[in-house]
Amino acid sequence: MKLAFSTLGVPGLPISDVVRLAATHGYHGVELRAHPEEPVHPGLDLTARADVAAEFKSAGVEILSVAGYTRVAAPGDDEPVIAELRALLDLARDLGAPFIRVFPGAGEDQSPEEADAAAARRLGTAAEYAADLGVRILLETHDSHRTGAAAIRVLGLVGHRQVGSLWDVMHTWLGGEQPSTSHAALAPFLGYVQVKDIASPDDTTPLPLGAGVLPLTECVDLLSRADWDGWLCWEYEKRWYESAPPLEGLLGAGREHLARLLNESA
C-alpha cells in the first residue's frame, strides 16, 4: 500500500512546503483539499494548475486526490451539483490526480430513499464525463451516509465503475459499524482509505496515529488479507481543531506507525 496525507492537516500551507513535507517524511502522495481558502481549488487557472502538477512531479510525489465538498445527495436542483462535480473532475484531470472526493450531504427533511436517488442520479450523470477524463469519483463515508451499509445503497444504484467509495475509518466506526462489515460492503467499490485517530466518540480532536481508539490495526489487517494495494491517507483534521498539535511534527512518526502496521499484517 502507498501512504499519503491530506492538506486538511496543514491548512493554507503553500504547495512547495506541502511537497517538501511529503518528500522529507517518505509519503508517496498527498490528498489536496480543494477549497477557496487553500492554494488548490477549482478557481485556479490553467497555468497555476500546470505549476502545481509540475512541482509534485519534480519531487516524485503523487497527487492522490482532489478532496472536494460537493454534497451529492443534498436537496435542490441537480444542475448546480453536477456543475460542481465537473469542475472538480476538470481540476483533477489537469493536476493528474486519479480521484475526486465528494460527500453525501443529505438534508434532514429528505427520506433515505429520496437522498439515495438524488445522489445516484447525479453521480451517474457525472460518471461518463469522469470516464472520459480518466478520473474516478469517490463517495466518502461521511455525514448522512457515514457507514459502508449506507454508502453502498447509493453506489449500488449508480452501478458505474467510475464511481466508487472512500472509506473514512472514523466515520464508519462512529456509525457503529465494525471494520469487517465496512470492508465487506465497500471493498468492491474501494478507491482509497482515510485513516486517523481520536480519543473517544465524544472527543474527535485529532491525535497522532496509534494514540487513540480507532481500530487501525484491524482495518489494515482486513485490507492486507484482501491483497489490496491501494492508498492509506492520513486525514489529520487540524483545520477544524486549531488547538491540535501541528501535523508537521507528527508526519514522521505517523508514517512509521503505518509502515509498522503494514509489516505486521503482511
Side-chain angles (χ1 to χ4, degrees):
M1 300 180 213
K2 293 182 179 181
L3 305 180
F5 66 88
S6 168
T7 55
L8 188 65
V10 286
L13 194 69
I15 288 300
S16 57
D17 292 329
V18 171
V19 171
R20 175 183 54 79
L21 285 174
T24 299
H25 294 289
Y27 286 81
H28 306 97
V30 174
E31 177 193 79
L32 294 176
R33 178 176 180 248
H35 190 281
E37 67 187 21
E38 298 292 343
V40 175
H41 54 82
L44 280 189
D45 62 31
L46 287 175
T47 300
R49 296 178 186 204
D51 289 344
V52 170
E55 194 147 15
F56 274 91
K57 186 175 182 179
S58 66
V61 178
E62 297 181 51
I63 300 176
L64 167 61
S65 176
V66 171
Y69 287 86
T70 304
R71 298 182 179 274
V72 295
D77 295 335
D78 287 356
E79 280 308 312
V81 178
I82 293 169
E84 281 188 34
L85 288 170
R86 285 175 171 259
L88 286 170
L89 289 165
D90 287 339
L91 178 59
R93 183 268 318 275
D94 293 341
L95 295 176
F99 304 115
I100 66 167
R101 184 280 306 277
V102 299
F103 285 150
E108 293 182 0
D109 295 334
Q110 288 172 289
S111 70
E113 293 77 15
E114 290 171 332
D116 294 349
R121 186 172 63 246
R122 294 156 177 174
L123 290 168
T125 299
E128 290 301 324
Y129 188 68
D132 290 341
L133 300 186
V135 179
R136 197 165 182 223
I137 306 168
L138 302 183
L139 179 67
E140 183 173 329
T141 53
H142 196 273
D143 56 77
S144 61
H145 293 64
R146 74 186 334 180
T147 64
I152 63 169
R153 295 201 315 261
V154 173
L155 298 174
L157 287 173
V158 177
H160 196 293
R161 66 178 305 277
Q162 215 66 22
V163 178
S165 65
L166 198 175
W167 181 12
D168 182 320
V169 301
M170 181 183 76
H171 281 285
T172 53
W173 183 80
L174 289 174
E177 199 171 63
Q178 293 297 312
S180 58
T181 303
S182 302
H183 178 258
L186 298 172
F189 307 96
L190 196 56
Y192 65 97
V193 178
Q194 284 180 344
V195 297
K196 59 191 76 173
D197 224 337
I198 57 173
S200 73
D202 300 317
D203 183 2
T204 55
T205 304
L207 294 176
L209 294 178
V213 298
L214 291 183
L216 300 182
T217 300
E218 185 177 353
C219 291
V220 171
D221 283 346
L222 286 163
L223 294 166
S224 294
R225 288 203 299 270
D227 293 325
W228 188 70
D229 61 354
W231 289 81
L232 300 178
C233 178
W234 185 8
E235 189 188 43
Y236 184 80
E237 298 186 340
K238 172 67 173 173
R239 174 62 183 85
W240 313 127
Y241 298 88
E242 293 185 8
S243 64
L247 177 63
E248 290 92 325
L250 306 174
L251 281 170
R255 181 192 55 76
E256 290 173 7
H257 182 75
L258 291 175
R260 186 162 55 251
L261 294 182
L262 289 169
N263 287 334
E264 291 172 354
S265 67

Coordinates of all heavy atoms in Angstrom, one line a residue, residues 23-68:
A23 N 7.9 14.7 0.7 CA 9.2 14.1 0.3 C 10.1 13.8 1.5 O 10.8 12.7 1.5 CB 9.9 15.0 -0.8
T24 N 10.2 14.7 2.4 CA 11.1 14.6 3.5 C 10.7 13.4 4.4 O 11.5 12.7 5.0 CB 11.1 15.9 4.4 OG1 11.5 17.0 3.6 CG2 11.9 15.8 5.6
H25 N 9.4 13.2 4.6 CA 8.9 12.2 5.5 C 8.5 10.9 4.9 O 7.9 10.0 5.6 CB 7.7 12.8 6.4 CG 8.1 13.9 7.2 ND1 8.9 13.8 8.4 CD2 7.9 15.3 7.2 CE1 9.1 14.9 8.9 NE2 8.5 15.8 8.2
G26 N 8.8 10.8 3.6 CA 8.6 9.5 3.0 C 7.2 9.1 2.6 O 6.8 7.9 2.5
Y27 N 6.3 10.1 2.3 CA 5.0 9.8 1.9 C 5.0 9.8 0.3 O 5.6 10.6 -0.3 CB 4.0 10.9 2.4 CG 3.7 10.8 3.8 CD1 4.5 11.2 4.8 CD2 2.5 10.1 4.3 CE1 4.3 11.1 6.2 CE2 2.2 10.0 5.6 CZ 3.1 10.4 6.6 OH 2.8 10.3 7.9
H28 N 4.2 8.9 -0.2 CA 4.2 8.7 -1.6 C 3.3 9.7 -2.3 O 3.4 10.0 -3.5 CB 3.6 7.3 -2.0 CG 4.4 6.2 -1.4 ND1 4.0 5.6 -0.2 CD2 5.6 5.6 -1.7 CE1 4.8 4.6 0.2 NE2 5.8 4.6 -0.7
G29 N 2.3 10.3 -1.6 CA 1.3 11.2 -2.2 C 0.7 12.1 -1.2 O 0.9 12.0 0.0
V30 N -0.2 13.0 -1.8 CA -0.9 14.0 -1.0 C -2.3 14.1 -1.5 O -2.6 14.1 -2.7 CB -0.2 15.3 -1.0 CG1 -1.0 16.4 -0.3 CG2 1.2 15.3 -0.5
E31 N -3.3 14.1 -0.6 CA -4.7 14.4 -0.9 C -4.8 16.0 -0.7 O -4.6 16.5 0.3 CB -5.6 13.7 0.1 CG -7.1 14.1 -0.1 CD -8.0 13.6 1.0 OE1 -8.0 14.3 2.1 OE2 -8.6 12.5 0.9
L32 N -5.2 16.6 -1.8 CA -5.3 18.1 -1.8 C -6.7 18.5 -1.5 O -7.7 18.2 -2.2 CB -4.9 18.7 -3.2 CG -3.4 18.5 -3.5 CD1 -3.2 19.0 -5.0 CD2 -2.5 19.2 -2.6
R33 N -6.9 19.2 -0.4 CA -8.2 19.8 0.0 C -8.5 20.9 -1.0 O -7.8 21.9 -1.1 CB -8.1 20.3 1.4 CG -9.4 21.0 1.9 CD -9.3 21.4 3.4 NE -10.5 22.1 3.8 CZ -10.6 23.4 4.1 NH1 -9.6 24.2 4.1 NH2 -11.8 23.8 4.5
A34 N -9.6 20.7 -1.7 CA -10.0 21.7 -2.8 C -11.0 22.7 -2.3 O -12.2 22.5 -2.3 CB -10.5 21.0 -4.0
H35 N -10.5 23.8 -1.7 CA -11.3 24.8 -1.1 C -10.7 26.2 -1.4 O -9.5 26.3 -1.4 CB -11.4 24.5 0.4 CG -12.5 25.4 1.2 ND1 -12.2 26.7 1.5 CD2 -13.7 25.1 1.6 CE1 -13.3 27.2 2.1 NE2 -14.2 26.2 2.2
P36 N -11.6 27.2 -1.5 CA -11.0 28.5 -1.9 C -10.0 29.1 -0.9 O -9.2 29.9 -1.2 CB -12.3 29.4 -1.9 CG -13.4 28.5 -2.3 CD -13.1 27.2 -1.6
E37 N -10.0 28.6 0.4 CA -9.0 29.1 1.3 C -7.7 28.3 1.2 O -6.7 28.7 1.9 CB -9.6 28.9 2.8 CG -9.8 27.5 3.3 CD -10.4 27.5 4.6 OE1 -11.1 28.5 5.0 OE2 -10.3 26.4 5.3
E38 N -7.6 27.4 0.3 CA -6.4 26.6 0.1 C -5.7 27.0 -1.2 O -6.4 27.6 -2.1 CB -6.7 25.1 0.0 CG -7.3 24.6 1.3 CD -6.3 24.5 2.5 OE1 -5.1 24.6 2.2 OE2 -6.7 24.4 3.6
P39 N -4.4 26.7 -1.4 CA -3.7 27.0 -2.6 C -4.3 26.4 -3.9 O -4.2 26.9 -5.0 CB -2.3 26.5 -2.4 CG -2.2 26.4 -0.9 CD -3.5 26.1 -0.4
V40 N -5.0 25.2 -3.7 CA -5.5 24.5 -4.9 C -7.0 24.4 -4.7 O -7.5 23.9 -3.7 CB -4.9 23.1 -5.0 CG1 -5.6 22.3 -6.1 CG2 -3.4 23.2 -5.3
H41 N -7.8 24.8 -5.8 CA -9.2 24.8 -5.7 C -9.7 25.0 -7.2 O -8.9 25.3 -8.1 CB -9.8 26.0 -4.9 CG -9.2 27.3 -5.2 ND1 -9.7 28.1 -6.3 CD2 -8.2 28.0 -4.7 CE1 -9.1 29.2 -6.4 NE2 -8.1 29.2 -5.4
P42 N -11.0 24.8 -7.5 CA -11.4 24.8 -8.9 C -11.3 26.2 -9.5 O -11.4 26.2 -10.8 CB -12.9 24.4 -8.7 CG -13.0 23.5 -7.5 CD -12.0 24.2 -6.6
G43 N -11.1 27.2 -8.8 CA -10.9 28.5 -9.4 C -9.5 28.8 -10.0 O -9.3 29.8 -10.6
L44 N -8.6 27.9 -9.8 CA -7.2 28.0 -10.4 C -7.2 28.1 -11.9 O -7.9 27.3 -12.5 CB -6.3 26.9 -9.9 CG -5.7 26.9 -8.5 CD1 -4.7 25.8 -8.4 CD2 -5.1 28.2 -8.2
D45 N -6.4 28.9 -12.5 CA -6.3 29.0 -13.9 C -5.4 27.8 -14.4 O -4.7 27.2 -13.6 CB -5.9 30.3 -14.4 CG -4.5 30.7 -14.0 OD1 -3.6 29.8 -13.7 OD2 -4.2 31.9 -13.8
L46 N -5.3 27.6 -15.7 CA -4.6 26.5 -16.2 C -3.1 26.6 -16.0 O -2.4 25.6 -15.7 CB -4.9 26.4 -17.7 CG -6.2 25.9 -18.2 CD1 -6.4 26.0 -19.7 CD2 -6.5 24.5 -17.7
T47 N -2.6 27.8 -16.0 CA -1.1 28.0 -15.7 C -0.8 27.6 -14.3 O 0.2 26.8 -14.0 CB -0.7 29.4 -15.9 OG1 -1.0 29.8 -17.3 CG2 0.8 29.6 -15.6
A48 N -1.6 28.0 -13.3 CA -1.4 27.6 -11.9 C -1.5 26.1 -11.7 O -0.8 25.5 -11.0 CB -2.4 28.4 -11.0
R49 N -2.5 25.5 -12.4 CA -2.7 24.1 -12.3 C -1.4 23.3 -12.8 O -1.0 22.4 -12.2 CB -3.9 23.6 -13.1 CG -5.2 24.2 -12.5 CD -6.4 23.8 -13.4 NE -7.6 24.5 -12.9 CZ -8.9 24.0 -13.0 NH1 -9.1 22.9 -13.7 NH2 -9.9 24.7 -12.5
A50 N -0.9 23.8 -14.0 CA 0.3 23.2 -14.5 C 1.5 23.3 -13.6 O 2.3 22.4 -13.4 CB 0.6 23.8 -15.9
D51 N 1.6 24.5 -12.9 CA 2.7 24.7 -12.0 C 2.6 23.7 -10.8 O 3.6 23.2 -10.3 CB 2.7 26.1 -11.5 CG 3.1 27.1 -12.6 OD1 3.7 26.7 -13.6 OD2 2.8 28.3 -12.4
V52 N 1.4 23.5 -10.3 CA 1.2 22.6 -9.2 C 1.6 21.2 -9.6 O 2.3 20.5 -8.9 CB -0.3 22.7 -8.7 CG1 -0.5 21.5 -7.6 CG2 -0.6 24.0 -8.0
A53 N 1.1 20.8 -10.7 CA 1.4 19.4 -11.2 C 2.9 19.2 -11.4 O 3.5 18.2 -11.0 CB 0.6 19.1 -12.5
A54 N 3.6 20.3 -11.9 CA 5.0 20.1 -12.2 C 5.8 20.1 -10.9 O 6.8 19.4 -10.8 CB 5.5 21.3 -13.0
E55 N 5.3 20.8 -9.9 CA 6.1 20.8 -8.6 C 6.0 19.5 -7.9 O 7.0 19.0 -7.4 CB 5.4 21.9 -7.7 CG 6.3 22.2 -6.5 CD 6.2 23.7 -6.0 OE1 5.3 24.3 -6.5 OE2 7.1 24.1 -5.2
F56 N 4.8 18.8 -8.0 CA 4.7 17.5 -7.4 C 5.6 16.5 -8.2 O 6.3 15.7 -7.7 CB 3.3 17.0 -7.4 CG 2.5 17.5 -6.2 CD1 1.8 18.7 -6.1 CD2 2.5 16.7 -5.0 CE1 1.1 19.1 -5.0 CE2 1.8 17.0 -3.9 CZ 1.1 18.3 -3.9
K57 N 5.5 16.6 -9.5 CA 6.2 15.6 -10.4 C 7.7 15.7 -10.2 O 8.4 14.7 -10.1 CB 5.8 15.9 -11.8 CG 6.4 14.8 -12.8 CD 5.9 15.1 -14.2 CE 6.5 14.0 -15.1 NZ 6.0 14.2 -16.6
S58 N 8.2 16.9 -10.0 CA 9.7 17.1 -9.9 C 10.2 16.5 -8.6 O 11.3 16.1 -8.5 CB 10.0 18.6 -10.0 OG 9.5 19.3 -8.9
A59 N 9.3 16.4 -7.6 CA 9.7 15.9 -6.3 C 9.4 14.4 -6.2 O 9.7 13.7 -5.2 CB 9.0 16.6 -5.2
G60 N 8.7 13.8 -7.2 CA 8.4 12.4 -7.2 C 7.3 12.1 -6.2 O 7.2 10.9 -5.7
V61 N 6.4 13.0 -6.0 CA 5.3 12.9 -5.1 C 4.0 12.9 -5.9 O 3.8 13.8 -6.8 CB 5.2 14.0 -4.0 CG1 4.0 13.8 -3.1 CG2 6.5 13.9 -3.2
E62 N 3.1 12.0 -5.7 CA 1.9 11.9 -6.4 C 0.8 12.8 -5.8 O 0.7 12.9 -4.6 CB 1.4 10.5 -6.5 CG 2.3 9.6 -7.3 CD 1.8 8.1 -7.4 OE1 0.7 8.0 -7.8 OE2 2.6 7.2 -7.0
I63 N -0.1 13.3 -6.6 CA -1.3 13.9 -6.2 C -2.4 12.8 -6.1 O -2.8 12.4 -7.2 CB -1.8 15.1 -7.0 CG1 -0.7 16.2 -7.0 CG2 -3.1 15.7 -6.5 CD1 -1.0 17.4 -8.0
L64 N -2.8 12.4 -5.0 CA -3.7 11.3 -4.8 C -5.1 11.7 -5.2 O -5.8 10.9 -6.0 CB -3.7 10.8 -3.4 CG -4.8 9.8 -3.0 CD1 -4.8 8.5 -3.8 CD2 -4.7 9.5 -1.5
S65 N -5.5 12.8 -4.7 CA -7.0 13.1 -4.9 C -7.2 14.6 -4.7 O -6.4 15.3 -4.1 CB -7.8 12.4 -3.8 OG -9.1 12.7 -3.9
V66 N -8.3 15.1 -5.4 CA -8.8 16.4 -5.1 C -10.0 16.2 -4.2 O -11.0 15.7 -4.6 CB -9.2 17.1 -6.5 CG1 -9.9 18.4 -6.2 CG2 -7.9 17.3 -7.3
A67 N -9.9 16.7 -3.0 CA -10.9 16.5 -2.0 C -11.9 17.6 -2.0 O -11.6 18.7 -1.4 CB -10.3 16.3 -0.6
G68 N -13.0 17.4 -2.7 CA -14.0 18.5 -2.8 C -15.1 18.4 -1.8 O -15.1 17.5 -0.9

